[in-house]
Amino acid sequence: MEWDELPITRWTTWCDRKVHLISRALAWGCAVVASWPSTALASSFADDPIHVQIQRVFLGIVISLIVVYLVRHYVFTLNRLFGRQRHPYLDVGAAPWPAVTVIVPAHDEEIVLPRILEALLRVDYPEDRLRVLVIDDRSTDRTPDLLDVYANKHPDRIVAFHRREGPAGKAAALRDAMELVTTDIVLVFDADYLPGRGLVKQLVSPFFDPEVGAVMGRVVPLNAGRNLLTRLLDLERAGGYQVDQQARMNLDLVPQYGGTVGGIRVSALNAVGGWNEKSLAEDTDATFRLLLGGWKTVYQNRSECYEEVPETWKQRIGQVVRWARGHNQAMLRYFVPLLRNQRMPWRTKLDGALLLGVYALSPLLVLAWATALSLWHLGINEGGTLIVLAVACYLALGNFATFFEVAAATHLDRTPQRARLLPFLAFGFLVTALEVTRGAFVQLAAASPHRRGFWHKTERRREP
Amino acid sequence: MSILTATALFFVLVVGIFFLPLLPALREVRQRVDANALPIAADGRVSSTYFAERFREILRRRLAGPLAEVAEIGSPLSGSIDGSDEFVVLPAGALAMDVKAGERMVVGAGDLDLGSDRHFLREIYAQGDLRAGDDVVVRATLIDGNATFGSGASSLRWIHAEKDLSFGPGAGLSGRVSSGACLRLDEDSVFERVHAPRIEFGAPRDSTHDTPEGRRDLREDELPANSETTGTRTLVHEDFTLEAGTRWIGDLVVHGDLDCGRGSQIIGSVKAHRVRLQENAEVDGSVVSTSDVFALEGVRIHGVLLAEGHVELARACRIGVEPDTASVRAHSIDVAPGTVVHGAVWVDQDEGQVTS
């Protein structure tokens, strides 16, 4: 067969085109919808006092942003349902497997540490090419003792790193641990995760691609059925990984490295400055620095690993506020460099920018509600400000695109009964939006470039 | 109707509409029909010998007794597992077709002969070697020794031989085919997933082209102007041709098509859109393509070959270097006779075929 005579017409290609067309139609439709509030708000614009003009412009911008995110959800979901699915590194059964270090950061993890170490000792990977490096970062429980027992029993396979000084926090611990790493590939698992036998090979496979700087696997809640919150988090995770991350992978956009059940190419990370210990979300930080450095982060949807999700609202709120603060920090740091990058395709820039902005949307939305109310009280409601407010609430708290995305994830996971819980997600979104907003304002108030990191942990429930 | 009644009805209607979507949700919360953790992929499911290992476990637990008995008495023995899965255990050297074994599990207590033009729609196990003539169809087969199939053989789900496994021309191999030593596929065969320390497509042969004596190292200033080098990796932002007889040291990522000239060499891994490796080109690491890969005669790839499109391997290609193994994975694969792969060749959408 000649170089230019390839049979590329396949069913998937046909689907791709359809999805592309639908996406375009959606984009145009939403652009029209987005322009409506702006147009409405702009009527008699010039006659308004300046503070009203500012409020109108702000409201128009926020609503347009929400519509952009709405389109993004639809594009991702349609891609997952009908588009070409990319799993380019799946099922590499035989390979010259490289030496790998699995890092397990642990801070007071006596309940779960033995289980992950047992699981890692059982993985299907050449023993002489796999080392487990456990960071005991100032644990005050039995973690150091348990770790020493395992390290003494398996001196060739488990290395104990008792960290007693330096800045606190996972990023700082990882940065220090890298001095003990001699391999070019590291995988990171939080201590409460349970890797299956084949997971290490699956996560290492993408590194045969010289463009890959980081890889992310799929996280699956093990305690999904514990209560309503865990079931809602299970749905959220399904939507986030099964649809969002895989769609980004399919469309060659920006899958995110999540800090656990994933891996990093050390030479790539070092080339972009190593772990950023000042970052509150070292995973997001690494994703964007690698992206700016010309390295790809890839997602492996079938590299699945169980995790424990928060079982109380207090834990959940703490977790999501922490993520939001780290994410917003990364947004401030990388938003402009991302948009100014000359080499990156525009769609990668757009997806990266939208990914950076996901947690900034909630405070913007709350401000937009306040603005809409303010305009209404000022009598500026001829453009339908209340309708705009209603649309904004609907889009933020329970827009159909997000439900569609989660429902699609349950369909893809072949667990359709879970979709019955979708209406409850609206309450989850409301709590998240308000708490993320609160966290953002607290972050702004306490902003300090010299802020020190500290360990954030979700309380472990699993029996030892 | 009074205003009060109308208001009350309206209120009930609004509340009803609001809570209607919550009814299935409340039911699910109470009944917990689908509340378990999502099942994740079983351990080792990607292993080429996964099904063979499971079958061996069944043999060990349920058929060890009958096997030992037949080995001792030297005559066939029939029975069933849990009253449903019928089996026949044959003594060494028996001809399976003589006992009308087509729809029963066939267990050989030594060498086993499947005859010719027969269909075996249940599992087969041979404690010794297995021989099959032309046009034999098997579904799931485990062989402790060597196995030889004639022309036109078909395997419907999986087949694993601990030693050598060879198929005559025109074999149709669905599912997983693996061998613990050497796997031979002849011309006009089609396959999906094959795995062995050494896979021979047709009779192995050497390239008819000469490899240049000395290769000239390509200098960085010979790369396109907008190339970027970070550590050992170089990014090229356009199509790139590596001249014949030249050598590049380091990983190479090409945001376009890559053409490696005759006898060229890359000491590192490469990634590009389409990749063309001309005669006797050599890649010391992996080859990754977001589209198609064409490897012409005598190409050697020491690492894995991953393509999101089509792969063509011409005659006398070598993938993987013993003792390390490598994988070739693509949507569709054409392999010319004379090529050897050490490791696995997995086709994930269409099929692989050995051309004639």
Side-chain angles (χ1 to χ4, degrees):
Chain A
M1 189 175 293
E2 289 302 316
W3 179 246
D4 289 311
E5 293 177 358
L6 294 168
I8 55 166
T9 49
R10 295 201 183 98
W11 162 252
T12 50
T13 315
W14 184 86
C15 283
D16 267 356
R17 288 190 190 130
K18 294 295 169 216
V19 170
H20 187 68
L21 283 175
I22 293 169
S23 306
R24 270 199 175 172
L26 263 173
W28 278 110
C30 290
V32 171
V33 172
S35 65
W36 161 72
S38 313
T39 312
L41 289 166
S43 62
S44 70
F45 186 86
D47 303 332
D48 288 336
I50 185 70
H51 66 93
V52 172
Q53 288 181 18
I54 290 171
Q55 288 185 63
R56 283 182 163 192
V57 169
F58 173 70
L59 198 55
I61 290 170
V62 173
I63 291 171
S64 301
L65 270 176
I66 291 166
V67 173
V68 170
Y69 277 97
L70 176 95
V71 175
R72 171 177 173 265
H73 279 301
Y74 273 120
V75 169
F76 286 176
T77 309
L78 288 171
N79 172 272
R80 278 299 278 133
L81 291 175
F82 306 112
R84 183 174 74 99
Q85 305 303 308
R86 288 183 65 227
H87 302 283
Y89 315 105
L90 187 68
D91 295 349
V92 175
W97 297 106
V100 171
T101 303
V102 177
I103 299 181
V104 182
H107 174 70
D108 290 345
E109 299 285 11
E110 62 173 359
I111 293 177
V112 292
L113 187 64
R115 285 187 65 172
I116 187 172
L117 291 181
E118 291 292 344
L120 287 169
L121 288 168
R122 284 196 304 269
V123 295
D124 174 23
Y125 203 84
E127 277 189 24
D128 60 330
R129 299 181 198 179
L130 180 72
R131 291 287 175 279
V132 180
L133 171 59
V134 184
I135 312 170
D136 153 37
D137 194 18
R138 282 166 281 209
S139 297
T140 53
D141 62 358
R142 290 171 53 240
T143 298
D145 301 333
L146 287 169
L147 175 55
D148 286 340
V149 168
Y150 274 90
N152 291 333
K153 195 173 172 187
H154 306 279
D156 297 333
R157 302 177 68 187
I158 296 179
V159 178
F161 172 35
H162 297 288
R163 189 168 179 267
R164 293 289 172 263
E165 53 191 29
K170 185 175 170 184
L174 285 171
R175 193 175 179 97
D176 286 356
M178 294 307 275
E179 291 175 14
L180 302 175
V181 171
T182 55
T183 60
D184 193 36
I185 294 166
V186 296
L187 304 183
V188 181
F189 289 99
D190 284 352
D192 60 322
Y193 283 62
L194 280 176
R197 280 199 76 228
L199 188 61
V200 171
K201 277 187 178 175
Q202 289 171 28
L203 291 174
V204 169
S205 298
F207 290 106
F208 291 117
D209 179 345
E211 196 176 20
V212 169
V215 60
M216 181 65 200
R218 180 177 176 184
V219 171
V220 178
L222 180 63
N223 55 340
R226 189 81 70 178
N227 55 39
L228 181 59
L229 172 62
T230 58
R231 296 188 73 182
L232 295 180
L233 291 177
D234 181 57
L235 285 175
E236 272 192 38
R237 295 282 200 280
Y241 286 98
Q242 181 66 277
V243 175
D244 254 33
Q245 289 268 53
Q246 182 59 43
R248 287 199 195 106
M249 182 69 190
N250 292 342
L251 297 167
D252 200 18
L253 299 175
V254 190
Q256 190 182 354
Y257 169 66
T260 181
V261 193
I264 290 267
R265 191 190 296 273
V266 176
S267 54
L269 187 67
N270 289 340
V272 296
W275 296 109
N276 181 0
E277 64 185 38
K278 289 180 182 166
S279 171
L280 297 171
E282 82 290 342
D283 43 9
T284 310
D285 191 273
T287 302
F288 281 91
R289 274 188 298 129
L290 288 168
L291 179 68
L292 291 166
W295 297 91
K296 278 194 182 301
T297 296
V298 297
Y299 173 65
Q300 293 265 81
N301 193 44
R302 294 181 197 169
S303 303
E304 298 157 318
C305 187
Y306 282 125
E307 67 151 350
E308 211 178 56
V309 289
E311 294 182 8
T312 65
W313 281 103
K314 187 182 168 193
Q315 290 172 3
R316 167 61 181 165
I317 288 167
Q319 186 185 56
V320 79
V321 168
R322 187 166 76 241
W323 289 348
R325 290 167 64 182
H327 218 87
N328 290 340
Q329 195 185 44
M331 183 189 69
L332 293 174
R333 207 170 269 153
Y334 302 115
F335 191 80
V336 174
L338 183 77
L339 295 181
R340 291 180 63 180
N341 190 295
Q342 299 291 318
R343 292 269 160 74
M344 215 176 283
W346 68 268
R347 59 182 190 154
T348 308
K349 286 187 195 182
L350 177 64
D351 184 53
L354 292 175
L355 181 60
L356 281 173
V358 285
Y359 284 103
L361 206 60
S362 295
L364 280 178
L365 194 75
V366 170
L367 285 176
W369 294 342
T371 306
L373 278 175
S374 160
L375 286 172
W376 186 67
H377 282 295
L378 288 168
I380 316 294
N381 57 0
E382 75 279 9
T385 308
L386 270 181
I387 297 173
V388 170
L389 174 67
V391 170
C393 290
Y394 170 73
L395 289 173
L397 298 181
N399 77 55
F400 187 71
T402 315
F403 287 122
F404 183 37
E405 183 176 294
V406 175
T410 63
H411 167 72
L412 292 166
D413 280 332
R414 296 190 177 88
T415 55
Q417 302 284 350
R418 287 171 201 228
R420 290 178 173 179
L421 292 175
L422 279 176
F424 284 127
L425 269 184
F427 300 115
F429 292 158
L430 178 64
V431 172
T432 302
L434 294 175
E435 287 301 325
V436 166
T437 303
R438 186 180 62 83
F441 288 131
V442 169
Q443 189 176 15
L444 275 177
S448 162
H450 304 297
R451 187 185 173 82
R452 291 171 69 88
F454 53 94
W455 273 94
H456 297 277
K457 275 171 53 64
T458 300
E459 189 185 336
R460 309 296 183 217
R461 299 278 177 159
R462 195 185 302 156
E463 294 300 319
Chain B
M1 184 187 293
S2 69
I3 290 179
L4 191 65
T5 311
T7 307
L9 279 174
F10 179 72
F11 180 75
V12 168
L13 187 69
V14 169
V15 169
I17 289 172
F18 182 76
F19 279 103
L20 203 59
L22 292 178
L23 291 181
L26 289 168
R27 192 173 148 215
E28 176 59 26
V29 169
R30 280 181 60 83
Q31 296 185 343
R32 301 170 60 83
V33 174
D34 195 2
N36 293 330
L38 198 67
I40 64 176
D43 284 347
R45 202 173 61 180
V46 298
S47 161
S48 58
T49 56
Y50 176 70
F51 295 114
E53 285 159 13
R54 283 179 58 190
F55 182 51
R56 189 180 290 286
E57 183 61 22
I58 292 171
L59 288 169
R60 191 186 62 77
R61 283 191 288 112
R62 312 305 295 268
L63 292 172
L67 268 168
E69 192 178 336
V70 169
E72 192 178 319
I73 62 176
S75 58
L77 180 72
S78 298
S80 66
I81 298 174
D82 297 334
S84 58
D85 292 328
E86 290 187 25
F87 65 83
V88 55
V89 184
L90 302 174
L95 191 61
M97 58 188 290
D98 284 349
V99 291
K100 295 179 181 172
E103 294 185 5
R104 284 188 289 179
M105 192 187 300
V106 178
V107 180
D111 294 347
L112 191 61
D113 190 341
L114 298 184
S116 295
D117 198 17
R118 303 287 297 178
H119 291 200
F120 295 87
L121 301 180
R122 296 298 307 272
E123 291 84 351
I124 296 173
Y125 168 66
Q127 214 163 23
D129 294 342
L130 182 141
R131 197 199 73 80
D134 295 342
D135 301 318
V136 167
V137 177
V138 292
R139 178 174 169 269
T141 313
L142 175 63
I143 307 118
D144 278 352
N146 300 299
T148 310
F149 286 78
S151 63
S154 295
S155 176
L156 303 179
R157 288 200 65 206
W158 59 266
I159 182 166
H160 174 75
E162 290 295 334
K163 296 179 182 171
D164 291 351
L165 172 60
S166 67
F167 294 90
L173 306 172
S174 303
R176 305 176 190 205
V177 177
S178 55
S179 156
C182 181
L183 170 61
R184 293 185 192 90
L185 301 182
D186 218 327
E187 295 179 8
D188 298 321
S189 295
V190 295
F191 60 89
E192 288 180 3
R193 296 180 163 193
V194 293
H195 190 151
R198 181 180 174 89
I199 306 169
E200 296 177 357
F201 296 91
R205 65 182 74 174
D206 292 326
S207 172
T208 55
H209 298 270
D210 294 330
T211 304
E213 284 295 319
R215 288 169 166 133
R216 180 180 71 81
D217 282 351
L218 193 74
R219 297 188 311 274
E220 246 181 72
D221 59 10
E222 294 178 82
L223 292 172
N226 60 353
S227 304
E228 299 170 73
T229 299
T230 312
T232 60
R233 189 197 68 163
T234 298
L235 280 174
V236 178
H237 295 279
E238 56 191 62
D239 293 351
F240 179 62
T241 299
L242 186 65
E243 298 292 332
T246 54
R247 182 170 69 168
W248 173 255
I249 299 174
D251 294 338
L252 193 61
V253 176
V254 178
H255 292 163
D257 295 342
L258 170 67
D259 193 349
C260 295
R262 180 181 292 195
S264 59
Q265 185 181 27
I266 294 174
I267 310 288
S269 296
V270 294
K271 182 184 186 182
H273 183 57
R274 282 184 192 169
V275 179
R276 189 183 203 201
L277 302 163
Q278 301 213 32
E279 292 86 350
N280 289 12
E282 188 172 354
V283 179
D284 189 45
S286 312
V287 174
V288 180
S289 163
T290 52
S291 178
D292 311 300
V293 175
F294 296 88
L296 304 190
E297 187 174 329
V299 162
R300 287 169 184 269
I301 298 170
H302 296 200
V304 300
L305 165 49
L306 306 175
E308 293 186 52
H310 179 71
V311 164
E312 277 194 24
L313 300 175
R315 293 170 192 275
C317 288
R318 297 285 184 274
I319 314 291
V321 180
E322 289 178 299
D324 272 336
T325 53
S327 290
V328 180
R329 189 178 178 280
H331 287 350
S332 59
I333 300 174
D334 286 347
V335 190
T339 283
V340 175
V341 176
H342 298 284
V345 184
W346 283 25
V347 185
D348 58 18
Q349 279 193 2
D350 297 336
E351 64 182 19
Q353 62 175 342
V354 188
T355 56
S356 53

